[in-house]
Amino acid sequence: MTAKPAIAIIYASVHHGNTRKLAETLAAELSADLFSVDEAKAIRAEQYDLIGLGSGVYFGRHHESLRSLVNSWHQQHFVFLFSTAGLPFLRWFQHASLRRCVSRKRCQVVAEFCCQGWDTVGPLWLMGGINRRHPNTKDLDRAKEFAKRLKASFSAS
Ligand SMILES: Cc1cc2nc3c(=O)[nH]c(=O)nc-3n(C[C@H](O)[C@H](O)[C@H](O)COP(=O)(O)O)c2cc1C
């Protein structure tokens, strides 16, 4: 691919805005158009070469609205997945539901990223939650590195 790829980033962030911070960082690094999942219903997905989909992880999966959006697609897309989570080391499992959904649409997942997000679900709220102040600068720096690698590999393909 020679021309600069057109990239959209679509996110849902309903708990503390953790994933919105991550999505904004990725969008800035990738010069991507940024949409909430509601805004994304109105865009023409086919005008983008690459689409990033991300949310917090809720009960082991991405937000349901992202799966609904993907199910409404009529064309194949290159996709990357991202998330913030209380337990980011479970990324492979926690991304599985959206990964499957994307694959069923014959779209290709080219990369995935997850980092810690402040989590006060249920009784965690009583102790101020886990991963307080995440995503932090270090998490967002890792996200920038991920975006740089993604941009380089996608532009070269
Ligand atoms: C209802 C609910 C369920 C959650 N379930 C999980 C989970 O299964 N695994 C996990 O790692 N984190 C879980 N979390 C933590 C969120 O993934 C984490 O706080 C994330 O950063 C929230 O992103 P957001 O602020 O963008 O919504 C849950 C949070 C909530 C509110």
Side-chain angles (χ1 to χ4, degrees):
M1 188 175 295
T2 47
K4 208 171 116 190
I7 305 176
I9 293 187
I10 300 170
Y11 70 93
S13 184
V14 300
H15 189 32
H16 288 302
N18 299 330
T19 315
R20 183 173 43 74
K21 290 182 199 154
L22 174 58
E24 286 168 353
T25 298
L26 291 170
E29 194 62 43
L30 291 166
S31 308
D33 294 338
L34 180 64
F35 303 100
S36 70
V37 73
D38 283 333
E39 291 165 341
K41 289 174 192 158
I43 68 169
R44 288 194 308 115
E46 58 274 16
Q47 68 189 307
Y48 291 101
D49 302 305
L50 177 64
I51 299 179
L53 297 171
S55 74
V57 169
Y58 316 101
F59 304 115
R61 349 149 102 187
H62 280 87
H63 196 263
E64 184 274 325
S65 59
L66 289 174
R67 291 191 297 280
S68 298
L69 182 74
V70 170
N71 284 330
S72 74
W73 285 352
H74 298 295
Q75 290 206 321
Q76 295 172 16
H77 302 285
F78 289 104
V79 169
F80 70 94
L81 306 182
F82 63 95
S83 64
T84 62
L87 307 172
F89 53 88
L90 295 177
R91 182 194 81 186
W92 180 257
F93 303 101
Q94 300 193 134
H95 283 195
S97 174
L98 185 57
R99 196 186 301 122
R100 264 198 308 274
C101 181
V102 164
S103 302
R104 270 200 296 271
K105 285 284 175 176
R106 302 192 182 285
C107 296
Q108 190 181 332
V109 177
V110 297
E112 302 190 29
F113 181 85
C114 178
C115 72
Q116 291 178 40
W118 181 32
D119 179 4
T120 55
V121 70
L124 291 178
W125 176 80
L126 295 171
M127 44 172 259
I130 56 170
N131 306 338
R132 285 180 81 178
R133 288 187 270 277
H134 286 272
N136 61 15
T137 312
K138 214 168 157 187
D139 299 318
L140 298 179
D141 284 347
R142 277 182 48 234
K144 287 180 197 168
E145 288 305 313
F146 165 81
K148 282 194 184 111
R149 284 195 304 276
L150 175 61
K151 194 157 53 176
S153 66
F154 193 73
S155 300
S157 63

